[in-house]
């Protein structure tokens, strides 16, 4: 009987738990049935207004404004042009030599412009931002009145290392200027593809005459130094003229004609008489 009692005590909690689960399930089912019945019995709210399906919720998105790069452009009231006085071929320039450029600036507006400077550079043709050689920037700071055209001299020297071969470069010249209100402008009078060639050194007449002039100056300096040394340390010899007085003794008069002797004797006697 003891075993029967223990088994009864073990099964009693399990049976109570099962009964509680069944009661909870029945209550949940009854609640769902009651809600469905209330929904069926409810009267629809129809006030004649159209059905509003609602509007989609739009999330506020941050509109990123694309910042445009600050680009300085040329003025419509100004015109620029260029000229290479000593280079007929504007696509080839000598390496290691000075290239002179004349840049013209024409003011067609009603305000005056101030030309600040001119910059030049060699750039890679396929990539404008890749600079191969930068040239010296020339500063002017000159005012150009309305209706006036001003010419500026710009010079640059292509590197000798860039000469030769079939390489080409973009020669870019930028003229920077501003108006009287302070607005900045820039324009490129020249932006073309060029090449650099080697200069063949031949006979240069200027260098030849320069050497001759240096040689003449050197000879003149040597002559002057020699003269100064001889004047300071030389011994000057005084040369005295000796007067020869003839003697009347041991003279052979046979080769002299007698008439000449007679004349000379007469003249001598006359001089003697005058002295007496």
């Amino acid at each position: 009987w003891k075993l029967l009692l223990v088994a009864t005590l073990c099964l009693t909690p399990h049976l109570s738990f099962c009964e509680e689960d069944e009661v909870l399930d029945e209550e949940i089912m009854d609640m769902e049935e009651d809600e469905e019945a209330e929904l069926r019995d409810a009267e629809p709210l129809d006030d004649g207004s159209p059905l509003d399906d609602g509007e989609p919720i739009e999330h506020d998105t941050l509109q990123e404004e694309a910042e445009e790069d600050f680009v300085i452009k040329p003025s419509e009231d100004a015109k620029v042009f260029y000229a290479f006085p000593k280079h007929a071929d504007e696509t080839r320039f000598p390496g290691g030599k000075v290239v002179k450029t004349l840049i013209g600036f024409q003011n067609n507006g009603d305000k005056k412009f101030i030309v600040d400077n001119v910059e030049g550079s060699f750039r890679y043709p396929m990539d404008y931002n890749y600079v191969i050689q930068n040239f010296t920037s020339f500063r002017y700071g000159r005012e150009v009145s309305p209706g006036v055209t001003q010419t500026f001299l710009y010079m640059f020297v292509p590197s000798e290392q860039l000469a030769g071969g079939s390489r080409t470069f973009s020669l870019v010249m930028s003229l920077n200027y501003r108006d009287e209100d302070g607005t900045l402008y820039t324009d490129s009078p020249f932006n073309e593809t060029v090449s650099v060639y080697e200069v063949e050194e031949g006979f240069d007449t200027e260098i030849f005459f320069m050497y001759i002039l240096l040689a003449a100056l050197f000879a003149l300096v040597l002559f002057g130094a020699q003269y100064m040394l001889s004047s300071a340390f030389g011994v000057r010899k005084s040369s005295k003229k000796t007067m020869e007085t003839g003697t009347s003794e041991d003279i052979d008069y046979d080769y002299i004609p007698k008439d000449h002797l007679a004349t000379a004797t007469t003249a001598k006697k006359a001089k003697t008489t005058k002295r007496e």
Side-chain angles (χ1 to χ4, degrees), residues 177-248:
Y177 58 100
R178 52 192 165 89
D179 59 14
E180 57 187 13
D181 297 331
T183 306
L184 300 178
Y185 301 97
T186 185
D187 202 347
S188 296
F190 189 86
N191 187 358
E192 300 292 340
T193 302
V194 300
S195 60
V196 181
Y197 65 90
E198 296 180 358
V199 179
E200 298 180 358
E201 298 291 345
F203 180 76
D204 195 344
T205 56
E206 294 182 359
I207 297 178
F208 175 73
F209 285 112
M210 182 182 68
Y211 287 153
I212 292 179
L213 180 60
L214 291 176
L217 291 175
F218 183 72
L220 183 62
V221 170
L222 289 179
F223 178 77
Q226 183 181 4
Y227 178 76
M228 293 177 64
L229 291 175
S230 62
S231 299
F233 301 102
V235 179
R236 296 182 178 179
K237 297 181 180 180
S238 58
S239 58
K240 297 181 179 180
K241 295 182 179 180
T242 57
M243 299 295 294
E244 293 185 357
T245 57
T247 57
S248 59

Side-chain angles (χ1 to χ4, degrees), residues 37-88:
E38 290 178 358
L39 292 174
R40 285 195 300 269
D41 297 339
E43 296 180 359
L45 298 176
D46 188 4
D47 55 358
S49 60
L51 181 63
D52 187 2
D53 294 334
E55 296 180 356
I57 299 175
E58 295 182 358
H59 299 283
D60 296 335
T61 58
L62 298 177
Q63 297 180 355
E64 299 180 356
E65 296 181 357
E67 297 182 357
E68 298 181 357
D69 296 336
F70 181 68
V71 179
I72 303 177
K73 299 180 180 180
S75 174
E76 297 179 355
D77 296 331
K79 181 181 179 181
V80 296
F81 46 90
Y82 71 93
F84 294 99
K86 296 185 178 181
H87 300 277

Side-chain angles (χ1 to χ4, degrees), residues 121-275:
S121 61
F122 274 152
R123 299 176 182 266
Y124 188 60
M126 300 299 177
D127 186 1
Y128 182 82
N129 295 322
Y130 185 77
V131 179
I132 299 175
Q133 182 184 3
N134 256 332
F135 301 127
T136 304
S137 175
F138 280 47
R139 299 185 180 277
Y140 305 103
R142 186 172 299 177
E143 295 183 358
V144 182
S145 302
V148 176
T149 301
Q150 185 71 43
T151 304
F152 302 92
L153 175 63
Y154 180 74
M155 296 182 291
F156 63 94
V157 181
S159 175
E160 294 181 0
Q161 299 178 356
L162 302 177
S166 58
R167 294 179 298 177
T168 57
F169 314 95
S170 293
L171 175 58
V172 180
M173 297 182 188
S174 299
L175 187 144
N176 302 315
Y177 58 100
R178 52 192 165 89
D179 59 14
E180 57 187 13
D181 297 331
T183 306
L184 300 178
Y185 301 97
T186 185
D187 202 347
S188 296
F190 189 86
N191 187 358
E192 300 292 340
T193 302
V194 300
S195 60
V196 181
Y197 65 90
E198 296 180 358
V199 179
E200 298 180 358
E201 298 291 345
F203 180 76
D204 195 344
T205 56
E206 294 182 359
I207 297 178
F208 175 73
F209 285 112
M210 182 182 68
Y211 287 153
I212 292 179
L213 180 60
L214 291 176
L217 291 175
F218 183 72
L220 183 62
V221 170
L222 289 179
F223 178 77
Q226 183 181 4
Y227 178 76
M228 293 177 64
L229 291 175
S230 62
S231 299
F233 301 102
V235 179
R236 296 182 178 179
K237 297 181 180 180
S238 58
S239 58
K240 297 181 179 180
K241 295 182 179 180
T242 57
M243 299 295 294
E244 293 185 357
T245 57
T247 57
S248 59
E249 298 179 355
D250 300 334
I251 299 176
D252 187 9
Y253 295 101
D254 293 339
Y255 70 92
I256 299 176
K258 294 181 178 180
D259 53 350
H260 288 284
L261 288 174
T263 305
T265 303
T266 305
K268 187 176 181 181
K269 286 179 179 182
K271 289 181 179 179
T272 303
T273 304
K274 289 181 179 179
R275 288 178 181 178

Side-chain angles (χ1 to χ4, degrees), residues 18-31:
C18 292
E19 292 176 356
E20 291 178 358
D21 292 339
E22 292 177 357
V23 172
L24 290 174
D25 292 338
E26 290 178 357
E27 291 179 355
I28 293 171
M29 293 293 294
D30 293 339
M31 291 176 64

